[in-house]
Each structure stands twice: as structure tokens, then as C-alpha cells.
Amino acid sequence: GAICSLRKHLNHLKLEENELETSGALKLLVGLGNPMSCSLETIDLRTNQIGRVGANAMVEYFLKTPAGKKIELNDNQISSDGLNAIQNLIKDKPDLLGSLDENEPEMDEDDEDDAEDDLNYISSLLEASLKLS
């Protein structure tokens, strides 16, 4: 609601240390709506336990925003596979991402599977909202 109405005027979003977890990060993406109409320049999501799935979704979204300059995802329990995937995503824009040196995965495989299910659901919601805009 509130994010949707403000997203065209929102340039910097700082949500550091809010324990969003993966599901919260994915819900935030839905709230932000279409990345092409998002004016975010910076987003700080450090220390939110968003894991590999949430971090990957955030980076993919942020790469599509025209104004995106910096995304901070340090200390989010991102696995080494997740870190590698993110590095591959940003290879053409390496300055986009802040430090990722403090990431230790604490999720087990069942949590990752649940996060994947959440991502699929949120992706379908985001696609539906893009069709409406």
C-alpha cells in the first residue's frame, strides 16, 4: 500500500537490521511493483536474513530499475552458491553491489525449498501486477 503510492518518489530505502527474511524481501518486491517505474537509487538490506533466494530476487529486480546505483546485501545468510549467482548477475555492473564479505548461510535445505516456493508465488504476483500497470 504505502510503498506502492510512494515508489515514484522513493530514492533511498534503508531497511538494515529488520529481520525481513526471505518472505519479507519477496513481499517488498511486490510492494515496489514494476521495476521500470521504480525510482530507487539505493537500497540497504544488510542484516535481514534474506538468504540466497531473497538476495537473488532483489538483485534481479534492482538490475531492472533505471535509477539503481547501489544495493547493500551484506550479512544476509547467503550461501556460497548464492554469492556466485549474484556475482554472475552483476558482472556487467560490479559497482552496483556493496560488500558481501559477511555472509554465512544458516538455512537448511528445507528452508531453501520453502523460500523457492515463496519466490515462485511472489513472482506470479509481480507478473500479474506488471500486466495491470
Side-chain angles (χ1 to χ4, degrees):
I3 291 178
C4 291
S5 63
L6 294 174
R7 71 175 173 240
K8 290 181 181 173
H9 308 288
L10 187 62
N11 296 322
H12 307 282
L13 185 59
K14 186 171 178 150
L15 295 172
E16 181 180 7
E17 295 184 25
N18 276 287
E19 298 181 19
L20 293 175
E21 299 181 344
T22 303
S23 62
L26 298 176
K27 289 173 186 172
L28 175 62
L29 291 176
V30 171
L32 290 171
N34 184 343
M36 294 306 295
S37 63
C38 181
S39 62
L40 272 179
E41 294 177 22
T42 63
I43 186 165
D44 185 347
L45 295 171
R46 290 177 289 171
T47 317
N48 273 294
Q49 304 168 0
I50 64 175
R52 175 186 58 84
V53 173
N56 197 56
M58 279 290 175
V59 170
E60 285 181 359
Y61 179 92
F62 206 63
L63 282 168
K64 295 175 187 172
T65 62
K69 293 180 182 173
K70 186 66 102 179
I71 183 169
E72 296 285 353
L73 295 171
N74 205 19
D75 196 16
N76 269 298
Q77 301 173 350
I78 306 168
S79 65
S80 58
D81 287 344
L83 293 173
N84 289 336
I86 289 169
Q87 294 297 337
N88 285 332
L89 284 172
I90 63 156
K91 63 184 172 207
D92 294 333
K93 290 180 124 183
D95 295 337
L96 182 73
L97 192 62
S99 172
L100 291 173
D101 61 353
E102 292 183 26
N103 277 286
E104 293 183 24
E106 292 183 12
M107 287 187 186
D108 61 25
E109 285 186 30
D110 290 338
D111 290 338
E112 286 287 329
D113 290 342
D114 290 345
E116 289 285 351
D117 292 342
D118 289 346
L119 177 61
N120 292 333
Y121 174 69
I122 297 297
S123 293
S124 66
L125 288 177
L126 197 52
E127 285 177 29
S129 74
L130 291 176
K131 289 177 185 174
L132 294 175
S133 55

